[in-house]
């Protein structure tokens, strides 16, 4: 093997290693990214079997508790509603008419099965993704009625996750 050929082989091996490392890194990022959808977005572009987050308002009159720890409710962006099922302990301030973000998967029957719920503590706070989705759907977003939080205001959210 000539010297020129040896250098070419080393260069090809180095490029192959670099390509493999890049592919593994991008694959790891892809598996950990969770996209946010509003109910209207989810109806227009179903995510398949991926884990996603949905956000909107808990529709008034839709919250139902089953015999166990399972609850069903509708999440709405005022344009569309999506049925959600969640098994676990609800955040203390989770209630109808308030903003919520749920993480889970869309079932084959069109019901969103949530594994995690995020609820707000401050009545003026609305997660920015939810506020944007409601604004796009035509929700007025009046101050004090699920309006987005202004810059500099403090807010907190609570998170409960069910055991896998």
């Amino acid at each position: 093997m000539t010297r020129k050929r040896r250098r070419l082989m080393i260069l090809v091996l180095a490029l192959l290693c670099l390509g493999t490392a890049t592919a593994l890194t991008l694959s790891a990022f892809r598996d950990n990214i969770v996209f946010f959808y509003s109910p209207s977005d989810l109806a227009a572009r179903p995510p398949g079997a991926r884990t996603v987050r949905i956000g909107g308002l808990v529709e008034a009159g839709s919250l139902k508790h089953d015999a166990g720890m399972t609850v069903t409710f509708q999440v709405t962006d005022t344009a569309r509603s999506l049925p959600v099922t969640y098994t676990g302990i609800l955040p203390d301030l989770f209630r109808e008419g308030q903003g919520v973000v749920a993480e889970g998967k869309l079932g084959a029957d069109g019901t969103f099965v949530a594994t995690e719920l995020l609820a707000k503590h401050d009545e003026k706070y609305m997660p920015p993704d939810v506020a944007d989705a409601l604004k796009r759907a035509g929700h007025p977003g009046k101050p004090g009625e699920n309006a987005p939080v202004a810059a500099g205001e403090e807010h907190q959210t609570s998170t409960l996750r069910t055991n896998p």
Side-chain angles (χ1 to χ4, degrees):
M1 186 178 285
T2 63
R3 189 175 181 173
K4 186 176 181 182
R5 251 188 149 174
R6 212 174 322 157
R7 276 190 263 157
L8 183 62
M9 290 291 285
I10 290 171
L11 181 65
V12 168
L13 286 175
L15 288 176
L16 187 64
C17 288
L18 182 65
T20 302
T22 302
L24 289 174
T25 302
L26 292 177
S27 175
F29 280 131
R30 186 172 183 221
D31 291 342
N32 291 323
I33 293 174
V34 178
F35 292 103
F36 178 83
Y37 289 86
S38 70
S40 296
D41 293 339
L42 206 59
R45 293 177 286 140
R50 290 189 60 118
T51 297
V52 296
R53 285 185 175 181
I54 62 164
L57 302 173
V58 178
E59 194 170 293
S62 68
L63 183 61
K64 295 178 181 138
H65 294 268
D66 290 349
M69 294 179 65
T70 302
V71 294
T72 57
F73 55 94
Q74 299 270 333
V75 172
T76 183
D77 62 359
T78 66
R80 294 194 83 128
S81 295
L82 179 70
V84 177
T85 301
Y86 175 71
T87 301
I89 300 172
L90 292 172
D92 289 340
L93 298 176
F94 176 84
R95 60 183 179 263
E96 295 176 347
Q98 297 295 321
V100 67
V101 174
E103 184 174 317
K105 292 181 180 181
L106 186 63
D109 62 348
T111 301
F112 190 81
V113 180
T115 57
E116 183 179 1
L117 286 181
L118 303 166
K120 65 180 187 171
H121 281 235
D122 184 349
E123 68 184 31
K124 293 181 180 178
Y125 174 70
M126 176 73 64
D129 293 334
V130 174
D132 290 342
L134 291 174
K135 194 176 285 183
R136 279 184 279 135
H139 190 271
K142 294 177 186 172
E145 294 180 13
N146 303 314
V149 72
E153 288 187 22
E154 292 184 22
H155 63 274
Q156 296 177 335
T157 58
S158 68
T159 303
L160 291 177
R161 183 181 288 254
T162 59
N163 292 331

